[in-house]
Amino acid sequence: MTHILIHILLVLLMPPLLLGVIGKTKAFFAGRVGAPYLQPYYDIWKLMRKGSVFSETTTWLFRAGPIVTLSVAVTASLLIPLGNHSAPFSFAGDMILFAYLFGLARFFTVAAALDTGSSFEGMGGAREATFSCLAEPTLFFALVVLARLSGSLSLSTMLTGSITTLWPDSAPSLILLAGSLFIILLAENCRVPFDDPNTHLELTMIHEVMVLDHSGPAFGYILYGAAMKLFVLGAFFLHIAFPFKAGDPFLDWGVFIIAMLLLAVVIGIVESIMARLRMVRIPQILVASTILAAFALVLVLR
Amino acid sequence: MNPATDGSLSTPLVMLGILLITLSGVPSLFTRKNAGFGQKLASLFVTAGAICGLIGAFSSIILNRSETFIIAWGLPFGPCEIALDPFSGLFLLPVFFISACCSIYGIGYWPAAEHAETTRKVTFFFGLTAASMAFLVMARNMVLFLVAWEVMALSAYFILAAEDHKKEVREAGFIYLAATHTGTLTLFAMFALLHHVTSSFLFPAAASIDAATPLSAAILIAALIGFGMKAGLMPLHVWLPSAHANAPSHISAIMSGVLIKMGIYGIIRVVSFFSHPPLWCGVLILAAGMTTAVLGVTFAMGQKDMKRLLAYSSIDNIGIIAMGVGVAVIGQATGSSTLAMLGMAGALLHVLNHAIFKPLLFLNSGSVIHATGTRNIEAMGGLARAMPATSILFLTGTIAICGLPPLNGFVGEYLVYLALFSGAKDGGGSSAAFMALAVPSLALTGGLALACFAKLYGTAFLGLPRSTDAEHPHEPGGTMLAPIRVLAFLALLIGLFPLLAVKLLHYPLLSWSPDLAQSGLTLSTLAPVTWITMAGVTLAVVALILYVCYSRQLKSTSRQTTTTWGCGYVRPSARMQYTGSSFTETLVHLFKGVLRPRGKEPELKGYFPATREYASNIPDLVLDLIIIPVSRGIDFGFSFVRKLQHGEYHLYILYIFVTMVALLIWAH
């Protein structure tokens, strides 16, 4: 029970901190002081009290988009094990629900974007739908590999149980998986080199361009939901890339928090040292990551 | 009828339902003056028949009743046996339910006042199609089965080609006829071989034929081709897109929701005759399912015609069903009851689910076409404002068909995924590899379906109207909305409480395979679907809380309304919106190897180029690029044979005489 409470508290409170750490890392690389670590919390709080501007083209769906996105992020966070602890919801096939919940969020984000009738937002929606089509198979390749390695059909046993013991024997396929999942982590969360959360040129954006017309509390929900998605997918990635367990249940939470912060630093470093890819390159990289994951599958099937 | 086993009321109720539905269109044939009355009477008959039939089918499924009846007939094809078992009962559910929904919808959608020429024909053959489908799943005699099959196929032709004064409808009808007859011919061959094996015209008992002989292989392949043609497995799907697009929408709904599932029924039934079906058969069905699913949705994505898009998406869903069947057969072949149960459960549940959300979408698209007068989504836009009820119902269908939680589409795909994952996890050899590969291809299908339906919904319902037709649409009437509402409710019910559906599948699964009954497995323990309810409820509660918060925040803060942000451009117009084609342009480009989009970019010269036109379309790979050119070639090559067909009757009779004499000489 305590651990479920810690799980829920971490999921609700920690995500914006990751954005703060990424921002600080990027500022360090750029030689700036940067915004405080807690800036994303201030931003979300500020947005919650702001007024809203609505386009006269929009319908109820435009308002529903951010609500669904955030509810999905919260529900999905209950399915993912954190650190060495199983998730509150854990059952055979939960990974399918996990992946498809994000599909629901994506559908509503794209629909809300199309609801404005703006060509820019249509463009963003089209890109989001296109690139996630290519990212989805990678995630499922990874899930098959993990299911086969761990002999389990539930995220909690798949990820917390045996990964540490599997590393020595199955290192090649796990390295391939970690690589492809890192690509997916960056792409799904709209980070450089796939998308730039800071860009201000509508023509080149993916996620930010879809939410151009959202304002006030709704935009706050979107920011918060996006941070939570980064947190949840980051936790998934860490299980494979950073499978160290302390042994003590409470120490494990500490290890997990530190690992998450390190991950945020790594993402910040990637964002600082890499340029954004040209739009036509993105599908190629995504397909490449799928093939990496397929290699991992071949290695475990042989 | 003589009951061969101790009878209950299930089968007589179903037979009464079939009789009522068969006769439903007859009164309308005699009401030339008042066709509207005949149409309403027919709906009443169909609904009453459907209620009888549903009670019968449900009682068979829930109480696990299997009954056999023999009708006395004098034909030399063995006893005329019909039977109701839970497995047949499961297929009866969509037949009866969707027939009633479509029939009621038809009153408002195809009113006799506006379609005086066709109403009576459509009403009569609608009843015949529905009744023959119900009869088909109960037939246990090969000849009886083929008769029901042909009645279904031919009466479906008359309803789908209702508007036969239009050229494209006639063409679609012709392709349908050609395809269905090719399929039936294969089925004749299949049943002939089966008769050769069993020396009886009766269906053999489940798991009674040795599958290892070459003859069995031929039977399985013929069944896959013949039934696959009806189901729409790629590359046998050629008739499906144009037939669904050109039929009246309530006919498309019943064809897509129910009729094509008869092919699936046939495949499963025939495979069930064999004890330990061969592994290659399962792998073949799985591979066909994967191809069909991915290519079906890829083609759907490129369409502009709303109903053509939905038709291709039916092909995609048939692919998902076939994947489930394939895994189940692999499970039987490798002796894994878990795989067999999960795979077949996924397939059967997806059959039911698709029979809910696809008619939901087709009937809604009928309302949209009714309101806007076009099937082209690029001419629509902003319908959500004028048609709020339709837009929410369509959205429900859209989310369900993308397989997203918390609607029913997800539950079926969840079971198929679970089967594939179990196979990939524990299996060995090539079958495990196939199942492991099927997982990402199902994921790809899901991703593409999302793009495809986001495009469909976004282009038609959101944004601003793109043409004057779409500016003043209207909500359909109550009799049209009511059946759609019921379908949407069912989609939500199964999505939130999948345990209901899982419990319903229990006896049909056991009656499909005797091995499963012995294994002692239960589906609800293999697939813990109550968790889906938990997650669905959590999602709903969180969304509700956020909704309340958001509404309060909106009330307490300032609120402005203005135009959509256009990078500083303040006079955006509807023509500047992203179109459906531009939405999927990148994906179509990525898949251009199979889609082969047609359309040449117009040349633009100078700063003020003259008006240019641009049109693009995506031809069907198999029909437009292979079958039609090849048929043209055959037509041209054999044109000399046509000299024999000159229209002079006395010479035709001479041909017959000459043939007979030749045969007589040959016989001696």
Side-chain angles (χ1 to χ4, degrees):
Chain A
M1 197 62 205
T2 330
H3 294 297
I4 292 182
L5 256 167
I6 297 177
H7 182 109
I8 293 172
L9 279 178
L10 265 186
V11 161
L12 291 180
L13 296 178
M14 197 179 159
L17 183 62
L18 298 183
L19 297 183
V21 173
I22 294 175
K24 204 72 173 174
T25 316
K26 286 166 82 172
F28 171 78
F29 270 81
R32 292 183 280 115
V33 179
Y37 288 107
L38 298 182
Q39 187 62 40
Y41 295 92
Y42 305 145
D43 288 347
I44 292 171
W45 182 243
K46 179 184 72 190
L47 283 167
M48 291 297 167
R49 287 170 297 131
K50 280 233 172 195
S52 308
V53 182
F54 289 112
S55 157
E56 55 218 0
T57 320
T58 56
T59 60
W60 63 272
L61 205 76
F62 181 74
R63 292 157 186 72
I67 294 179
V68 174
T69 320
L70 184 52
S71 342
V72 160
V74 172
T75 314
S77 73
L78 296 175
L79 292 164
I80 188 91
L82 300 182
N84 205 13
H85 301 275
S86 1
F89 288 5
S90 151
F91 57 98
D94 53 1
M95 66 285 189
I96 305 158
L97 182 63
F98 178 76
Y100 272 61
L101 273 172
F102 284 114
L104 181 71
R106 186 177 310 128
F107 182 87
F108 270 87
T109 313
V110 171
L114 290 172
D115 199 17
T116 60
S118 145
S119 47
F120 295 115
E121 286 173 58
M123 208 178 276
R127 287 170 185 163
E128 171 84 1
T130 306
F131 299 149
S132 60
C133 271
L134 303 173
E136 206 89 314
T138 314
L139 180 62
F140 277 86
F141 262 124
L143 289 171
V144 175
V145 174
L146 291 171
R148 193 160 169 98
L149 282 179
S150 67
S152 155
L153 291 179
S154 157
L155 280 175
S156 289
T157 35
M158 213 185 261
L159 296 172
T160 55
S162 47
I163 292 272
T164 330
T165 50
L166 288 174
W167 261 98
D169 287 335
S170 325
S173 56
L174 284 173
I175 289 171
L176 286 168
L177 269 199
S180 61
L181 283 176
F182 191 63
I183 295 176
I184 296 304
L185 175 71
L186 295 180
E188 280 284 313
N189 288 295
C190 316
R191 315 303 310 187
V192 176
F194 297 95
D195 189 9
D196 188 352
N198 296 330
T199 179
H200 285 284
L201 185 59
E202 288 86 341
L203 279 172
T204 60
M205 299 191 281
I206 303 172
H207 187 259
E208 299 304 305
V209 72
M210 284 196 290
V211 298
L212 270 180
D213 262 87
H214 286 284
S215 54
F219 191 55
Y221 291 175
I222 290 172
L223 273 187
Y224 186 40
M228 208 180 272
K229 186 177 177 187
L230 175 67
F231 180 85
V232 168
L233 291 183
F236 183 81
F237 169 73
L238 279 184
H239 281 295
I240 294 151
F242 191 81
F244 300 107
K245 312 288 159 162
D248 177 70
F250 288 96
L251 215 56
D252 271 331
W253 284 117
V255 172
F256 170 71
I257 293 172
I258 292 168
M260 277 310 270
L261 294 175
L262 277 178
L263 177 67
V265 173
V266 171
I267 294 176
I269 295 174
V270 171
E271 296 220 333
S272 312
I273 60 174
M274 276 190 87
R276 245 186 63 103
L277 287 169
R278 276 172 62 208
M279 211 50 99
V280 288
R281 294 268 172 232
I282 295 179
Q284 298 170 359
I285 301 282
L286 289 174
V287 173
S289 86
T290 311
I291 295 168
L292 284 184
F295 270 123
L297 179 66
V298 171
L299 287 177
V300 298
L301 273 179
R302 93 204 127 99
Chain B
M1 291 197 298
N2 306 313
T5 54
D6 56 319
S8 68
L9 273 178
S10 304
T11 315
L13 267 174
V14 172
M15 291 311 287
L16 176 68
I18 294 178
L19 191 70
L20 280 172
I21 296 176
T22 314
L23 297 177
S24 65
V26 175
S28 75
L29 293 179
F30 301 102
T31 52
R32 178 180 275 278
K33 288 274 163 58
N34 193 353
F37 173 71
Q39 191 184 24
K40 283 181 190 131
L41 198 66
S43 284
L44 192 69
F45 267 61
V46 172
T47 315
I51 290 171
C52 288
L54 283 175
I55 295 173
F58 266 117
S59 67
S60 162
I61 295 172
I62 294 167
L63 306 172
N64 190 21
R65 278 193 193 140
S66 296
E67 297 160 356
T68 311
F69 285 78
I70 293 167
I71 305 173
W73 74 347
L75 296 178
F77 302 114
C80 168
E81 190 175 299
I82 55 166
L84 179 64
D85 57 17
F87 181 74
S88 290
L90 195 77
F91 276 85
L92 283 176
L93 298 181
V95 173
F96 285 121
F97 185 71
I98 302 305
S99 307
C101 286
C102 294
S103 174
I104 296 171
Y105 180 88
I107 299 176
Y109 177 73
W110 204 255
E114 285 173 36
H115 301 272
E117 298 292 311
T118 54
T119 308
R120 294 183 307 145
K121 175 171 85 176
V122 169
T123 312
F124 177 73
F125 283 109
F126 181 89
L128 215 52
T129 313
S132 57
M133 288 192 288
F135 200 66
L136 177 75
V137 295
M138 294 176 69
R140 292 294 183 276
N141 178 302
M142 297 172 195
V143 179
L144 196 63
F145 182 92
L146 280 175
V147 169
W149 184 265
E150 268 308 275
V151 172
M152 169 188 87
L154 291 179
S155 42
Y157 167 77
F158 287 108
I159 46 177
L160 80 87
E163 294 177 290
D164 50 12
H165 56 279
K166 294 182 184 164
K167 185 167 173 276
E168 66 268 23
V169 174
R170 284 199 303 275
E171 280 175 3
F174 180 75
I175 294 170
Y176 167 79
L177 269 188
T180 191
H181 278 130
T182 315
T184 311
L185 207 62
T186 325
L187 290 187
F188 268 101
M190 190 269 293
F191 279 125
L193 292 174
L194 198 59
H195 179 257
H196 185 74
V197 172
T198 63
S199 346
S200 157
F201 279 109
L202 285 182
F203 279 11
S208 64
I209 305 178
D210 177 21
T213 62
L215 207 54
S216 301
I219 293 174
L220 284 169
I221 299 243
L224 268 185
I225 295 174
F227 289 122
M229 199 96 178
K230 184 61 76 190
L233 286 179
M234 290 240 175
L236 307 169
H237 68 282
V238 290
W239 63 276
L240 213 145
S242 57
H244 282 67
N246 288 299
S249 294
H250 60 305
I251 306 303
S252 320
I254 196 168
M255 285 208 303
S256 174
V258 194
L259 192 133
I260 59 173
K261 309 293 166 39
M262 294 298 125
I264 296 292
Y265 168 80
I267 292 176
I268 302 178
R269 187 57 94 185
V270 170
V271 173
S272 81
F273 296 155
F274 296 90
S275 64
H276 300 289
L279 184 62
W280 62 259
C281 178
V283 171
L284 185 66
I285 299 179
L286 178 64
M290 278 157 68
T291 324
T292 308
V294 174
L295 288 184
V297 71
T298 312
F299 276 98
M301 192 179 67
Q303 305 303 316
K304 298 187 186 82
D305 177 333
M306 189 181 246
K307 288 176 68 181
R308 228 179 138 75
L309 186 151
L310 291 176
Y312 273 113
S313 134
S314 297
I315 299 176
D316 145 36
N317 281 283
I318 286 291
I320 296 174
I321 295 170
M323 284 165 86
V325 177
V327 181
V329 175
I330 291 177
Q332 285 187 316
T334 55
S336 160
S337 303
T338 313
L339 272 192
M341 180 168 260
L342 280 174
M344 187 49 70
L348 292 181
L349 187 55
H350 208 73
V351 164
L352 291 187
N353 284 336
H354 186 246
I356 292 170
F357 57 64
K358 191 44 75 68
L360 171 62
L361 285 170
F362 262 122
L363 295 183
N364 267 317
S365 75
S367 309
V368 168
I369 294 161
H370 211 256
T372 58
T374 174
R375 299 203 306 249
N376 180 4
I377 56 170
E378 308 286 29
M380 299 175 187
L383 294 176
R385 290 164 167 273
M387 308 174 76
T390 302
S391 96
I392 291 190
L393 294 168
F394 202 102
L395 183 68
T396 315
T398 305
I399 296 173
I401 203 168
C402 292
L404 299 175
L407 292 175
N408 65 345
F410 173 72
V411 188
E413 290 196 23
Y414 165 79
L415 288 179
V416 176
Y417 266 122
L418 210 53
L420 292 170
F421 268 106
S422 318
K425 173 171 74 81
D426 302 320
S430 63
S431 63
F434 263 100
M435 286 184 276
L437 275 181
V439 170
S441 49
L442 190 51
L444 179 65
T445 310
L448 289 170
L450 195 145
C452 169
F453 281 92
K455 158 193 164 162
L456 173 63
Y457 190 77
T459 316
F461 284 90
L462 305 176
L464 293 169
R466 290 184 175 76
S467 74
T468 46
D469 292 337
E471 271 170 14
H472 303 290
H474 53 87
E475 199 76 273
T479 53
M480 285 166 78
L481 276 178
I484 306 181
R485 286 210 165 101
V486 175
L487 289 168
F489 170 75
L490 281 179
L492 192 63
L493 184 75
I494 298 183
L496 275 181
F497 303 102
L499 195 63
L500 294 175
V502 163
K503 291 272 181 207
L504 194 71
L505 289 177
H506 184 66
Y507 287 120
L509 284 171
L510 300 192
S511 93
W512 160 67
S513 162
D515 292 348
L516 286 185
Q518 285 165 12
S519 70
L521 292 171
T522 50
L523 184 58
S524 44
T525 43
L526 287 181
V529 288
T530 29
W531 282 103
I532 297 181
T533 309
M534 289 275 283
V537 170
T538 311
L539 184 70
V541 169
V542 175
L544 191 70
I545 294 171
L546 286 175
Y547 170 73
V548 172
C549 290
Y550 187 49
S551 311
R552 286 195 173 177
Q553 282 163 333
L554 276 188
K555 277 201 191 102
S556 62
T557 53
S558 71
R559 192 174 162 168
Q560 268 176 277
T561 308
T562 174
T563 50
T564 296
W565 169 245
C567 292
Y569 188 72
V570 290
R571 294 282 306 274
S573 87
R575 282 176 57 82
M576 290 167 61
Q577 293 176 95
Y578 234 45
T579 59
S581 301
S582 32
F583 190 84
T584 45
E585 202 269 339
T586 317
L587 279 173
V588 168
H589 183 75
L590 281 173
F591 285 93
K592 68 172 186 287
V594 283
L595 290 179
R596 305 187 177 267
R598 284 177 185 165
K600 201 164 160 264
E601 303 252 330
E603 203 181 323
L604 298 177
K605 276 186 189 158
Y607 294 111
F608 299 100
T611 313
R612 287 276 187 277
E613 285 193 356
Y614 172 68
S616 65
N617 77 322
I618 290 179
D620 189 274
L621 180 66
V622 183
L623 182 68
D624 294 326
L625 300 184
I626 300 172
I627 292 187
I628 290 185
V630 169
S631 311
R632 285 232 170 88
I634 293 174
D635 190 37
F636 180 74
F638 284 85
S639 53
F640 66 91
V641 182
R642 208 166 283 150
K643 284 179 193 146
L644 292 173
Q645 190 191 14
H646 34 59
E648 292 176 31
Y649 292 107
H650 58 287
L651 289 179
Y652 286 176
I653 296 169
L654 183 69
Y655 293 163
I656 297 174
F657 180 74
V658 170
T659 316
M660 222 172 73
V661 169
L663 284 174
L664 277 174
I665 293 169
W666 184 58
H668 283 277

